[in-house]
Amino acid sequence: MWRSMRLVEQLREAWSAAKATARLAIGLPDYDAYVAHVRAQHPGATPMAREAFAVERMEARYGKGRSRCC
């Protein structure tokens, strides 16, 4: 019983790590990591909403009003 519970936990951890790696590989920002960082490092600050975070990250990556491929 305990072995199967441990296996399930290990699979969850592996899946989370795989998702994070895939997001980094294709350039998708990790909102949950951002929120955890803000709460841990800036306790008085309010994290941006998910939509605002996505817009800010895309602007930081590609620039505002311009597009680039490489």
Side-chain angles (χ1 to χ4, degrees):
M1 169 111 164
W2 291 107
R3 290 178 105 182
S4 63
M5 290 175 68
R6 179 68 184 139
L7 177 60
V8 169
E9 183 60 32
Q10 288 175 331
L11 288 172
R12 283 187 182 137
E13 289 173 6
W15 180 248
S16 292
K19 286 191 311 184
T21 300
R23 286 185 176 124
L24 286 173
I26 61 174
L28 284 177
D30 188 348
Y31 181 74
D32 295 331
Y34 158 73
V35 170
H37 167 81
V38 170
R39 289 188 176 146
Q41 302 299 319
H42 312 280
T46 302
M48 288 184 274
R50 186 177 296 270
E51 296 78 19
F53 173 76
V55 168
E56 191 276 332
R57 290 289 75 218
M58 291 302 116
E59 286 179 357
R61 182 174 183 168
Y62 297 112
K64 191 170 186 172
R66 69 175 197 265
S67 157
R68 70 174 198 205
C69 67
C70 302

